[in-house]
Amino acid sequence: MNRRLFSAISLAIATLVTAPAFAQNKLVMGVSVPAATHGWTGGVVYWANRTKTELEKQYPGTSVIVKTAGSAAEQANQVQDLQTVNKIDTLVILPFESAPLTRPVAQVKSKGVFVTVVDRGLTDPSAQNAYVAGDNPGFGKVAAEYMAKAMGGKGNVVILRGIPTVIDNQRVDAFNEVMKKHPNIKVLDAKHGNWNRDDAFKVMQDYLTRFKQIDAVWASDDDMAVGVQKAIEQAKRSDVKLVLGGAGSKDYIKKVMDGDPIVTADVTYSPSMIADAMKLTAEARVKGAKMPETTIIPSVLITKDNAAKYYFPDSPF
């Protein structure tokens, strides 16, 4: 009886140890992301490289190759090289643009490569095995709920939108749905600041010229919030009591931590989603498990109470 039990335990341990090790040696993951052309993508590159190190340590024998691209054409070429030169069997990609990358990614998938797409979906979902993204409607909803509460349900708001995209529409539509429940809050205007500090500065200057009373600003991105605050300071306006950005940049999380009088919260849409995608994909591939077709990472409200949890001072974003 004891001998049989010992044999069964030995077999179970051998299976646990040897089966994943065999799979690990087969795993060659390519990670393709846009170059660090602005704060958020800088964070993506940081998290991709950080997670490469973690995965190669966690799963001995695994190889992770991280490539950055400055254009859609460059990324398409890199994806092809990852398959033909590096012989990847797994691809995690945050597309520079959706349409130009759809066919190159589909071609790689057709050769047996497992594909996880992150954030910017492809125009043909059949070109991917899995999709990992932030919660864009949730991003707008969380921001609006906090803002409405902070304003006491009344006052004037201006909005700075991002680049005209489906993602931006989802965020703003969700924000406006919440505000419909607060008839004493008036949304004065919503213009595109293109997720850019300089563009946001100009839009906010226009708002400050046109509107004599602005109680709160939803910048919908931390980079834009920088331009917004600069415009407010230059105009010497004291009526704006709240500026709410988003995405969780280290500078704005630090403002929340330090008790900035008008930056009292932020909303996550972290570039660390590339890390989540890499970890989920690696785990599924190593274990031979099925990865969910879609994984949505919730948007979380960051306040002084939990800000330290989301503060990564070594990150460029």
Side-chain angles (χ1 to χ4, degrees):
M1 181 70 177
N2 288 340
R3 186 177 296 170
R4 285 181 186 173
L5 181 60
F6 177 79
S7 297
I9 292 170
S10 297
L11 179 62
I13 291 172
T15 303
L16 285 170
V17 172
T18 58
F22 177 77
Q24 286 161 19
N25 290 329
K26 297 287 186 182
L27 184 61
V28 183
M29 177 187 285
V31 179
S32 177
V33 297
T37 53
H38 64 280
W40 195 83
T41 51
V44 169
V45 174
Y46 165 82
W47 281 103
N49 284 308
R50 172 172 162 159
T51 308
K52 162 189 163 69
T53 304
E54 291 176 5
L55 291 177
E56 289 178 342
K57 183 178 179 181
Q58 182 178 358
Y59 304 117
T62 289
S63 176
V64 181
I65 304 106
V66 177
K67 297 279 188 182
T68 63
S71 68
E74 183 183 6
Q75 190 175 33
N77 289 333
Q78 286 179 354
V79 167
Q80 186 177 34
D81 287 347
L82 282 166
Q83 193 270 318
T84 57
V85 178
N86 301 105
K87 308 296 184 186
I88 62 169
D89 53 52
T90 305
L91 174 66
V92 177
I93 179 168
L94 198 161
F96 199 97
E97 294 176 33
S98 300
L101 269 302
T102 297
R103 180 176 287 183
V105 171
Q107 288 173 343
V108 167
K109 181 173 178 280
S110 72
K111 292 181 169 67
V113 175
F114 184 94
V115 176
T116 298
V117 173
V118 185
D119 187 45
R120 301 169 189 172
L122 299 173
T123 54
D124 179 6
S126 69
Q128 68 199 25
N129 297 95
Y131 178 62
V132 178
D135 182 1
N136 286 289
F139 183 94
K141 181 174 182 286
V142 168
E145 287 174 346
Y146 176 80
M147 184 168 278
K149 185 176 179 180
M151 296 175 68
K154 61 183 180 181
N156 294 335
V157 176
V158 291
I159 297 173
L160 285 90
R161 305 184 59 158
I163 292 169
T165 54
V166 172
I167 286 174
D168 179 66
N169 291 341
Q170 289 174 338
R171 293 178 176 185
V172 175
D173 288 349
F175 184 92
N176 287 333
E177 278 302 308
V178 172
M179 287 304 175
K180 285 178 183 176
K181 301 171 186 174
H182 301 277
N184 293 325
I185 294 178
K186 185 177 182 182
V187 177
L188 300 174
D189 204 351
K191 289 189 179 297
H192 292 283
N194 304 316
W195 296 318
N196 179 280
R197 296 183 183 192
D198 294 336
D199 291 352
F201 174 76
K202 292 171 187 172
V203 172
M204 193 62 204
Q205 277 189 318
D206 172 62
Y207 285 159
L208 291 167
T209 301
R210 290 164 50 211
F211 304 117
K212 299 307 176 189
Q213 180 65 38
I214 299 171
D215 299 291
V217 183
W218 182 44
S220 79
D221 176 80
D222 291 335
D223 273 346
M224 290 198 296
V226 173
V228 165
Q229 284 197 275
K230 185 179 176 184
I232 293 168
E233 288 163 9
Q234 283 196 7
K236 295 183 169 59
R237 289 279 288 266
S238 59
D239 49 321
V240 182
K241 303 301 184 188
L242 173 65
V243 173
L244 184 60
S249 75
K250 64 179 181 182
D251 292 342
Y252 269 75
I253 291 176
K254 189 71 165 61
K255 283 176 181 280
V256 174
M257 289 169 67
D258 292 345
D260 187 291
I262 67 170
V263 180
T264 54
D266 202 23
V267 179
T268 62
Y269 194 85
S270 176
S272 67
M273 69 176 65
I274 191 71
D276 295 324
M278 290 167 67
K279 290 174 183 176
L280 288 168
T281 305
E283 182 180 17
R285 298 289 281 161
V286 167
K287 292 182 177 179
K290 182 174 173 58
M291 185 172 169
E293 289 184 7
T294 302
T295 302
I296 301 298
I297 300 162
S299 286
V300 177
L301 181 70
I302 300 172
T303 64
K304 197 168 184 177
D305 292 338
N306 65 351
K309 178 182 174 183
Y310 298 96
Y311 183 57
F312 297 97
D314 294 335
S315 171
F317 180 74

